[in-house]
Amino acid sequence: TNQYAEVKGGVYPVTNDDVEPDGTEHPGWPMPFQQTTLGTTDTGGNVPGSGSFTATFSGPYININDNCGTGSLTQSDDIDWGASGGTDCATPGFGGAGNTHASRSGFYELNRIKEMARGQLPENIWLQDQLTANMNIDASCNAYWNGTTVNFYKSGGGCANTGEIAAVFVHEFGHGMDANDAIGGIASPSGEGIADLYSALRLYDSCIGRNFLPTPCSGNGDPCLTCTGVRDIDYLQRQSGNPHTYTWSNANCGGSVHCVGGVYSEAVWSLWKRKLQAAPYNYDNNTAAEIVTRLTYIGAGNTSDWFFDRHTGIH
């Protein structure tokens, strides 16, 4: 027989607002591609072997650097990182000071989005490399890609911990994907839209980062109806109910990169949710999602400029 040990832990599948669906921490989710003293777990969190062994929040694809401390856990036959209440540096009381919501959820979600991306772009070298994620940075209301790492802030200032929100993980990964695809560097004039699209296609949600804010997002001059994230890329979920053009974004939000990015992210969301599911195509939601996902990974990888004016020749 083959004896397998399992490595699992509590994960926020979407966000930390304790509102269903998937707004509570789910215990026992597999830790994919996690390094242990028995070897590296597979996508289901399994590793051949038995007996006492140790795991950390590191592996071939993701390395977690938690500012609350180091996460390391030794148990017998199986490892369960557990789940806990609280936020930021709260832990279950074992596994080290780095066994936080952000470490567990971030390790899970970043491995999942890299796995999804490798399925689309198996030859991409960056997706094969280890990406470091810095969690619980002592600041608030932000997260960012710095060219080599993804970085997430503690709660405060009216914002939730960005290392406990799946859409924020994928959005920042999306900047790295944009910078390391077929045409390197962030595509002009805004890489925010493609980062939002990677998030939406992974989570099937137009609200980017639910529970980032306590109230619906301002939406750069066109408020969101219900989304408490940073943006909603479904224009029907915005107050005006109208799609946003490049001209509108410049006139109403000064060409802000987040606002400009919405022009093409809204278009791709509409392709998925409306165009492909209507006549003459009549695809079901999942088939439409597969088509748009494939088009996005291939098309975005070969894009250097999101807009081109045929009349002026200006990108």
Side-chain angles (χ1 to χ4, degrees), residues 100-163:
T100 64
H101 297 288
S103 286
R104 295 189 300 272
S105 295
F107 188 84
Y108 176 86
E109 186 59 42
L110 287 167
N111 267 295
R112 284 288 178 245
I113 185 58
K114 287 194 77 176
E115 183 178 32
M116 178 179 177
R118 287 194 302 274
Q120 299 293 335
L121 306 171
E123 304 302 320
N124 184 284
I125 300 301
W126 182 73
L127 292 172
Q128 307 294 332
D129 291 339
Q130 187 187 70
L131 172 66
T132 292
N134 295 306
M135 302 298 184
N136 286 303
I137 295 171
D138 195 17
S140 62
C141 294
N142 205 359
Y144 63 96
W145 155 260
N146 69 0
T148 55
T149 65
V150 287
N151 303 272
F152 306 93
Y153 289 3
K154 287 182 177 178
S155 62
C159 303
N161 184 313
T162 54

Side-chain angles (χ1 to χ4, degrees), residues 144-213:
Y144 63 96
W145 155 260
N146 69 0
T148 55
T149 65
V150 287
N151 303 272
F152 306 93
Y153 289 3
K154 287 182 177 178
S155 62
C159 303
N161 184 313
T162 54
E164 298 175 3
I165 305 175
V168 180
F169 290 134
V170 184
H171 177 93
E172 300 308 333
F173 156 86
H175 287 309
M177 186 76 263
D178 189 12
N180 291 277
D181 54 21
I183 298 178
I186 303 297
S188 298
S190 168
E192 297 299 330
I194 188 58
D196 283 352
L197 283 169
Y198 286 131
S199 177
L201 288 165
R202 159 71 183 143
L203 299 170
Y204 275 42
D205 195 348
S206 65
C207 177
I208 309 302
R210 193 183 88 202
N211 199 45
F212 188 107
L213 304 168

Side-chain angles (χ1 to χ4, degrees), residues 237-292:
Q237 300 302 314
R238 304 274 282 277
Q239 191 174 80
S240 72
N242 297 317
H244 300 94
T245 66
Y246 188 53
T247 300
W248 182 93
S249 68
N250 281 301
N252 290 272
C253 41
S256 160
V257 291
H258 294 93
C259 192
V260 170
V263 177
Y264 65 89
S265 63
E266 287 179 11
V268 176
W269 178 266
S270 293
L271 174 65
W272 169 14
K273 289 295 184 177
R274 289 182 269 279
K275 187 70 173 177
L276 291 177
Q277 295 185 55
Y281 306 105
N282 298 315
Y283 291 119
D284 62 72
N285 183 60
N286 290 333
T287 301
E290 289 296 322
I291 293 169
V292 171

